[in-house]
């Protein structure tokens, strides 16, 4: 019995031990199986067979080279088929004005966007329709009776659209007005100023402005019968090392503009933003972000949305500085027959405005000229863009001889992609300007000079063509243009136009500028072209379908090395409307435009 009990005890212990071992084994096995269950619970992914990548060969494109210019074939084809240009739409035409024959072309009848090259038709139409001696006139009248030096009515200002008035001009204008008021015994005008803006209609923005994403930028300022500082206001932000907040001031400080917000002050700038918007009869300036004192103060130019009110407040401040008390009221109404003419300010002659228009690619001047043409063609009617543009189209058809049905003249500045013209027609337009003795010198002086002044001041610098290129630039997002005149090394005058569009990142404006500059350099260096002609054409004509092309990568490297960023210029001699401070204003207005949208263009 005792043995039986002992046996059962041993058996029970073994059973317990075996059970525990089994449980441990099962637990360990379960742990090992969990990842496999997780993996198996996921759907199986079938590997797709990837089709081999097919290299699509882009067909080579070739210039058409005319007689006696065969030396251009190989270098031009190499430029056209280089990597940056392969997906761009291109239209090119070059004409030897001296010898009266075409040199080369590529898709010269294709109508592309000219960007700010549109200012060329505005320039020549203004010379033709307004006359070279044209000047804007701003008239000042007194209304009411005089008693003890106090005028019972307002000072009335009738604007004609003069876009050349800047601070310095306004101050001298105020001195003349104050002198005339004192001569008439007037020292106080408590009823303020009345503005006659009836010369233009109420539409301030030309066609294409509706496509602009940044309507508060200085380059997109609206047209007005009374303008000041190209209808832009300077916002100066001065960071302070000892303060947490930067100081914001408006330039000029004339009581126009409402500052909303403030910029922090720190070692480096961060997300500094300045935007403006219309608020009643004023402009509100929104400031945010941080200014960096390591870089000093920063001045940013933004659009003034009510330019006539801007002009009035600046004039009132200047008159007060000259001892004439003027009330704060600003009204808008027409000049009356009983009003007495006090003073007339005349702008400099038209060619000064045309220089500003093209050297700085000033959109406001261009669109003001469109309305001024309308006022000249239809006197007595409030001038609008449509009438001015129709007059320009008629000029292009009847005077220049551009009959291309694909020509689109939708504004006078080239802002945004609403205009189209072919390179052949653009060359025809330039030839019209330089072939007429009365226009030639003024037209050529209005164009930028490569390596010296204007929007191509930094291009061609240190290159053989520097000083020999006179041209107009044009830049928008995905659009770049250059057209003008080159006097080549042989003394011949070559008219050219290069239009490009449709390129996308990583290809940018610099690649297009390099393409344009390389073509201009080829046009200039006639000896190199002749040498190439001798090597490539031992006898007979060249077959343009078999012209050799350089290695794309090497050529792209060469092009990128030649590209330079365009900077605005400082013109050597300027009229009253463009003194040193005015030149700085021009430069700042241009530099505040994004490079992709330079109205130049950027």
């Amino acid at each position: 019995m005792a043995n039986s009990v002992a046996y059962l005890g041993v058996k029970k212990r073994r059973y317990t031990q075996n059970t525990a071992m089994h449980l441990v084994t099962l637990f360990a096995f379960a742990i090992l199986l969990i990842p496999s269950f997780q993996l198996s619970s996921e759907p199986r992914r079938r590997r797709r067979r990837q089709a081999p990548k097919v290299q699509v060969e882009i067909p080579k494109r070739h210039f058409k080279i005319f007689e006696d210019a065969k030396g251009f074939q190989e270098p031009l084809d190499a430029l056209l088929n280089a990597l940056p240009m392969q997906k761009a739409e291109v239209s090119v035409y070059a004409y030897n004005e001296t010898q009266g024959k075409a040199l080369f072309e590529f898709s010269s009848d294709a109508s592309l966007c000219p960007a700010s090259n549109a200012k060329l038709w505005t320039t020549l139409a203004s010379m033709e329709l307004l006359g070279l001696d044209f000047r804007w006139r701003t008239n000042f009248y007194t209304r009411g009776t005089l008693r003890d030096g106090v005028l019972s009515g307002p000072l009335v200002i009738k604007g004609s659209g003069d876009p050349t008035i800047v601070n310095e001009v306004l101050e001298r204008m105020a001195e003349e007005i104050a002198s005339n008021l004192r001569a008439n015994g007037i020292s106080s005008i408590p009823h303020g100023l009345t503005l006659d803006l009836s010369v233009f209609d109420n539409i301030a923005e030309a066609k294409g402005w509706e496509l602009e994403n940044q309507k508060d930028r200085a380059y997109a300022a609206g047209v007005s019968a009374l303008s000041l500082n190209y209808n832009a206001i300077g916002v100066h932000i001065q960071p302070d090392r000892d303060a947490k907040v930067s100081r914001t001031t408006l330039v000029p400080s004339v009581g126009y503009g409402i500052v909303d917000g403030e910029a922090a002050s720190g070692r480096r700038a961060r997300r500094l933003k300045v935007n403006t918007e219309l608020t009643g009869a004023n402009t509100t300036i929104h400031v945010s972000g941080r200014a960096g004192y390591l870089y000093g103060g920063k001045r940013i130019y933004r659009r003034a949305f009510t330019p006539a009110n801007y002009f009035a407040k600046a004039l009132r401040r200047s008159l007060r500085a000259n001892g004439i008390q003027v009330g704060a009221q600003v009204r808008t109404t027409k000049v009356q027959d009983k009003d007495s003419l006090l003073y007339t300010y005349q702008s400099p002659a038209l060619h000064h405005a045309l220089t500003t228009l093209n050297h700085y690619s000033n959109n406001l001047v261009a669109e003001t000229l469109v309305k001024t043409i309308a006022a000249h063609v239809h006197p007595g009617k409030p001038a609008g863009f449509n009438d001015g543009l129709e007059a320009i189209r008629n000029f292009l058809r009847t005077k220049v001889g551009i009959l291309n049905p694909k020509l689109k003249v939708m504004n006078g500045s080239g802002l945004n992609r609403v205009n189209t013209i072919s390179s052949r027609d653009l060359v025809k337009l330039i030839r019209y300007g330089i072939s007429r003795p009365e226009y030639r010198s003024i037209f050529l002086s209005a164009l930028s000079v490569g390596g010296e002044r204007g929007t191509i001041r930094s291009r061609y610098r240190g290159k053989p063509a520097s000083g020999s290129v006179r041209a107009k630039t044009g830049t928008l997002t995905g659009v770049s243009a250059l057209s003008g005149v080159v006097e080549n090394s042989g003394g011949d005058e070559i008219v050219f136009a290069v239009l490009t569009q449709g390129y996308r990142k990583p290809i940018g404006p610099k690649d297009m500028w390099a393409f344009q500059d390389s073509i201009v350099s080829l046009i200039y260096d006639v000896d190199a072209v002749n040498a190439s002609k001798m090597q490539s054409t031992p006898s007979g004509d060249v077959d343009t379908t078999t012209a050799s092309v350089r290695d794309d990568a090497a050529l792209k490297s060469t092009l990128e090395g030649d590209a330079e960023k365009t900077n605005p210029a400082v013109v050597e001699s300027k009229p009253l409307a463009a003194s040193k401070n005015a030149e700085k204003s021009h430069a700042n207005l241009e530099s505040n435009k994004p490079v992709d949208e330079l109205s130049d263009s950027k």
Side-chain angles (χ1 to χ4, degrees), residues 501-550:
Q501 70 179 35
Y503 58 88
R504 296 182 178 180
K505 293 181 179 180
I507 307 303
K510 283 188 176 182
D511 296 291
M512 300 301 111
W513 297 344
F515 176 69
Q516 297 158 5
D517 295 348
S518 296
I519 290 178
V520 170
S521 296
L522 284 171
I523 293 173
Y524 174 81
D525 197 353
V526 65
D527 294 333
V529 170
N530 289 336
S532 176
K533 175 185 174 182
M534 294 298 293
Q535 294 174 3
S536 61
T537 58
S539 63
D541 293 338
V542 172
D543 180 3
T544 60
T545 62
T546 59
S548 60
V549 180
R550 301 178 195 171

Side-chain angles (χ1 to χ4, degrees), residues 96-162:
N96 189 320
E97 184 70 15
T98 304
Q99 299 183 20
K101 59 185 179 181
L103 291 179
F104 55 80
E105 66 90 19
F106 179 82
S107 297
S108 60
D109 291 322
S111 292
L112 304 184
C113 176
S116 282
N117 275 210
K119 293 180 174 70
L120 293 176
W121 61 53
T122 305
T123 297
L124 286 167
S126 299
M127 295 167 69
E128 181 85 18
L129 300 175
L130 300 177
L132 301 179
D133 295 326
F134 173 81
R135 298 169 188 265
W136 284 278
R137 288 175 170 80
T138 305
N139 294 326
F140 297 83
Y141 301 83
T142 55
R143 178 181 296 173
T145 58
L146 178 64
R147 183 175 181 180
D148 298 330
V150 179
L151 186 67
S152 63
L155 178 68
V156 183
I157 309 165
K158 182 176 176 60
S160 63
D162 188 352

Side-chain angles (χ1 to χ4, degrees), residues 388-409:
L389 292 171
E390 185 54 40
I392 293 175
R393 294 187 196 105
N394 186 60
F395 159 74
L396 294 175
R397 285 192 302 266
T398 61
K399 297 293 185 177
V400 184
I402 298 177
L403 304 176
N404 189 343
K406 294 183 179 179
L407 171 72
K408 289 185 180 180
V409 179

Side-chain angles (χ1 to χ4, degrees), residues 21-40:
M21 290 179 64
H22 286 307
L23 288 174
V24 171
T25 303
L26 288 173
F27 182 73
F29 186 67
I31 292 176
L32 292 174
L33 287 178
I34 287 174
S36 63
F37 280 117
Q38 289 178 343
L39 289 174
S40 62

Side-chain angles (χ1 to χ4, degrees), residues 6-19:
Y7 171 77
L8 289 174
V10 171
K11 189 175 182 179
K12 185 177 182 181
R13 284 196 301 272
R14 287 180 178 176
Y15 176 79
T16 303
Q17 291 174 355
N18 291 338
T19 302

